[in-house]
Each structure stands twice: as structure tokens, then as C-alpha cells.
């Protein structure tokens, strides 16, 4: 699996693109959320090269963590 899971802590629009601040175990990064437009603060996303590819539940995020470098 290529990517990392993180928790969405903020969402905002930037130049008509849905963006968010995502927490990866204490490190916050800017992430494009346009591919997961229904995501809400507090949800987990699978991110690859700065783009959230899917929303995952907390259990899946924790299960992925050993493989994703989280």
C-alpha cells in the first residue's frame, strides 16, 4: 500500500479547491480533499502525494498504520 492515513482537523477552500489540514500522528500537513468532497473534520483519510484518495474509518486507519509508516 502506498500512502498514509491521517485525521482531518480543518477544511477550507483555496482557489475553488477543497483543502484540509490533516494530522499524521502530530505532524500537520496541507492536503487536497477534492477527491473526497463529503469528508468531515474528525474523519480519517488515506493520502498519497498530498491528495486524499479515500475516507477510512478509525479502525482501518489504525490497521493501516504499520504499513503506511504512521
Amino acid at each position: 500500500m502506498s500512502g498514509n492515513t491521517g485525521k482531518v482537523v480543518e477544511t477550507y477552500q483555496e482557489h475553488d479547491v477543497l483543502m484540509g489540514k490533516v494530522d499524521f500522528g502530530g505532524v500537520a500537513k496541507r492536503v487536497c480533499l477534492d477527491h473526497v468532497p463529503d469528508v468531515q473534520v474528525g474523519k480519517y483519510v488515506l493520502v498519497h502525494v498530498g491528495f486524499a484518495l479515500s475516507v477510512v474509518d478509525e479502525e482501518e486507519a489504525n490497521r493501516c498504520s504499520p504499513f503506511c509508516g504512521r
Side-chain angles (χ1 to χ4, degrees):
M1 178 178 292
S2 181
N4 204 346
T5 54
K7 187 175 187 177
V8 178
V9 294
E10 178 184 344
T11 63
Y12 56 93
Q13 291 286 325
E14 185 174 303
H15 305 289
D16 294 325
V17 175
L18 180 60
M19 299 292 292
K21 184 161 112 178
V22 178
D23 178 27
F24 298 96
V27 177
K29 300 269 187 174
R30 284 179 26 163
V31 172
C32 176
L33 300 174
D34 242 14
H35 297 292
V36 290
D38 296 330
V39 72
Q40 298 174 356
V41 171
K43 297 294 183 180
Y44 290 84
V45 288
L46 177 65
V47 178
H48 180 66
V49 294
F51 292 86
L53 302 178
S54 63
V55 178
V56 296
D57 61 26
E58 186 173 7
E59 181 181 338
E60 181 69 19
N62 289 331
R63 187 170 41 242
C64 175
S65 63
F67 305 106
C68 296
R70 191 172 140 207

